[in-house]
Amino acid sequence: MSNISFSEIYTNYYKRSFLFVKSYVRDDMAAEDIVSEALINLWDTSKKEKVEYPLSLLVMMLKNGALNYLKHQDVKQSVSDSISSKMARDLGYRISTLQACDLEEIFSSEITRIVKETLEALPEQTRRVFELSRYECRTVKEIAEELSISPKGVEYHITRSLKVLRIALKDYLPIFYLLFLK
């Protein structure tokens, strides 16, 4: 094979070459690229030297081109799988972390601190009434007798302390009701 035009090479070998390569790479664009490159290389080689068996040389070029393409695809798939696996592990970690997240525990210490500071800022009698009511579960009557004040006075101090706590805990009010109000 010598002094043959690219057009003749293309006409004689393109269709069979394309079908051969496509059967392995399963991508029309990639097959076209591999076949075009092989046909150009065959033509370049035939211009430089005599090619005795052009079909054998072409099949070897097509095989190597398809093999390189498939190896590259394998590497891309491995990287993609690795990234997907990492993303899946990360997603699983975030899901399990969020499921294990105990909002009551997270907010409990902060709420406890705010409640403590707020109660310490209250007048002594108001704070004492609140503590007897909420922490020691005493009735209004029991608190009134112990502190020598009227039941209405006990109710006033409880209402006052709850109002101050509501303001201090406005961002945590739903949790506050769950933890402190029964």
Side-chain angles (χ1 to χ4, degrees), residues 1 4-14 39-40 42-44 46 58:
M1 175 178 176
I4 188 167
S5 72
F6 182 76
S7 178
E8 290 175 293
I9 291 174
Y10 184 86
T11 303
N12 289 333
Y13 299 115
Y14 179 79
L39 292 175
I40 291 169
L42 178 62
W43 181 58
D44 283 343
S46 71
L58 178 60

Side-chain angles (χ1 to χ4, degrees), residues 36-52:
S36 295
E37 185 177 329
L39 292 175
I40 291 169
N41 287 339
L42 178 62
W43 181 58
D44 283 343
T45 303
S46 71
K47 288 189 324 185
K48 295 175 189 167
E49 59 189 74
K50 184 174 193 270
V51 176
E52 298 241 0

Side-chain angles (χ1 to χ4, degrees), residues 46-113:
S46 71
K47 288 189 324 185
K48 295 175 189 167
E49 59 189 74
K50 184 174 193 270
V51 176
E52 298 241 0
Y53 304 102
L55 187 57
S56 296
L57 180 58
L58 178 60
V59 169
M60 184 187 69
M61 290 177 183
L62 295 170
K63 175 190 164 201
N64 289 337
L67 198 52
N68 287 340
Y69 173 81
L70 292 173
K71 286 178 180 179
H72 180 72
Q73 291 304 105
D74 187 43
V75 169
K76 280 174 45 178
Q77 187 62 49
S78 294
V79 169
S80 178
D81 290 348
S82 175
I83 291 170
S84 293
S85 175
K86 182 187 178 313
M87 289 173 68
R89 281 192 312 273
D90 181 55
L91 181 60
Y93 173 75
R94 288 184 285 147
I95 288 171
S96 65
T97 302
L98 190 55
Q99 285 173 332
C101 179
D102 184 357
L103 292 179
E104 187 173 320
E105 185 178 316
I106 291 171
F107 293 125
S108 180
S109 62
E110 190 168 346
I111 290 171
T112 301
R113 179 188 57 79

Side-chain angles (χ1 to χ4, degrees), residues 130-142:
F130 180 83
E131 289 172 346
L132 290 171
S133 169
R134 294 305 188 249
Y135 296 147
E136 297 180 23
C137 300
R138 303 260 184 101
T139 65
V140 171
K141 185 178 177 186
E142 290 172 335

Side-chain angles (χ1 to χ4, degrees), residues 21-32:
V21 172
K22 184 180 176 198
S23 71
Y24 288 99
V25 300
R26 296 190 177 138
D27 180 305
D28 287 355
M29 297 293 284
E32 285 180 23

Side-chain angles (χ1 to χ4, degrees), residues 114-126:
I114 293 170
V115 168
K116 183 179 177 186
E117 289 173 2
T118 303
L119 290 178
E120 286 174 0
L122 290 175
E124 176 67 27
Q125 181 120 352
T126 303

